[in-house]
Amino acid sequence: MKILLTGGAGYIGSHTYLALIEAGHIPVILDDFSNSSPKVLERLGRISGQPVLCEQGNVADLPWVQALIQRHAIEAVIHFAAFKAVGESVAQPLKYFDNNLVGMTRLLQAMDATDCRTLVFSSSATVYGDPASVPITEDFPRSHTNPYGHTKLVIEDMLSALQKSNPAWKVAVLRYFNPVGAHPSGLIGEDPLGIPNNLMPFVAQVAVGKRPVLNVFGNDYATPDGTGVRDYIHVQDLAAGHVAALQTLAAKGESFTVNLGTGQGYSVLDVVHAFEKASARKVPVQFAPRREGDVAQCYASTARALALLGWQAKLDLDAMCTDSWRWQSGNPDGYS
Ligand code: UD1
């Protein structure tokens, strides 16, 4: 299939690009490089051995996106292009409403106008808020604690309204848990701007000597070692999950919502220890107060993903840390 990847130069988009090529699809990247580097394109070309199809522009540019879908005869869209920094969304909600909600609306309009109604959407486990228990199944109640999370929830609702209005829409909503790791080549990986918000890139920058110490946000949670527990998933497994979702949509023709996680929870200290082993470096930590909005535990039930997509994560925490370290140590300043 010919597939448009909005935000395809970003962290998850670039890994999914390669997984799609391996599965015999033809991906076309759409990116405005507002939170990614054009240098990723050369790397993708090097790894895949194929020229990279990329269109530079914004997903909200309706006539341009419409023309692009027609010009490339796009059959399905995977929509990664969105902002995802929680703190920034609290400080600048309009930036998030504009990019995430208006961007999504314009993309859907372009798809509707061109009769291209197959979509894979990047949602997040953030829509579960503070879950009453773990593991989390897809029918758990949804909530939000910040504008970023709210945009994911609103888009999920927009998509279900759209499916009701016209059954020709085939939509896969993928609720990611905590994507980490990098391509085993060490050529592409996560390259956050400024101080990383997320745990794994922060740990990697401490290990490589860019930052002195990791602040562990809270050690008094009701978890085995008191630190927060999350479902870290290797980005290569996540990329494979997108291919499985796309193929399931095409084969069964029915919309669905599914968790993409491993079903296994690890604490902050588990991650630190695994990273120290993978990197053979010490990662100094200090305990700090809890971060606002954090939950004690969050990990997925993976039963629906296995039953529906025939997909499950294969790579363990050691592989996540080893690949993350290969990327970080080979590219201490990311793509710049
Ligand atoms: C975060 C967002 C979530 C978003 C996801 C996107 C919050 C509250 N949640 O998930 O909405 O969908 O990123 O990638 O921001 N930690 C530290 N020190 C650090 C960084 C993190 O101790 O410097 C801890 C956190 O308290 C948490 C764990 O590490 O227990 C994972 O944090 P993080 O990687 O930011 O992911 P989430 O908070 O799960």
Side-chain angles (χ1 to χ4, degrees), residues 259-328:
N259 289 337
L260 294 185
T262 66
Q264 174 80 44
Y266 287 106
S267 74
V268 175
L269 295 180
D270 289 335
V271 172
V272 168
H273 296 142
F275 206 94
E276 288 184 326
K277 194 173 110 193
S279 64
R281 300 276 179 106
K282 189 84 195 128
V283 176
V285 303
Q286 66 191 17
F287 293 113
R290 291 180 177 193
R291 182 172 68 180
E292 203 186 318
D294 270 355
V295 302
Q297 301 198 70
C298 177
Y299 56 88
S301 162
T302 57
R304 186 185 287 182
L306 185 59
L308 190 71
L309 311 179
W311 169 92
Q312 61 186 335
K314 297 194 179 93
L315 298 165
D316 62 12
L317 184 61
D318 288 339
M320 299 178 210
C321 294
T322 300
D323 290 333
S324 193
W325 176 242
R326 190 182 297 109
W327 157 251
Q328 182 69 58

Side-chain angles (χ1 to χ4, degrees), residues 84 86 124 126 148 178 198-199 215 217 230 232 291 294:
K84 56 145 230 172
V86 173
S124 164
T126 194
Y148 154 73
N178 290 60
N198 297 119
L199 178 65
N215 284 306
F217 300 139
R230 296 290 183 277
Y232 298 94
R291 182 172 68 180
D294 270 355

Side-chain angles (χ1 to χ4, degrees), residues 179-224:
V180 297
H183 191 269
S185 65
L187 290 173
I188 61 168
E190 187 171 12
D191 183 18
L193 287 174
I195 302 170
N197 295 302
N198 297 119
L199 178 65
M200 188 68 91
F202 202 106
V203 169
Q205 292 194 4
V206 173
V208 86
K210 281 184 82 173
R211 299 186 189 280
V213 62
L214 170 75
N215 284 306
V216 177
F217 300 139
N219 62 346
D220 57 352
Y221 285 108
T223 60

Side-chain angles (χ1 to χ4, degrees), residues 9 23 28 43 58 74 104 117 149 199 276 293 297:
V28 178
R43 307 268 179 111
N58 192 280
I74 296 295
M104 178 82 265
R117 296 191 186 86
L199 178 65
E276 288 184 326
Q297 301 198 70

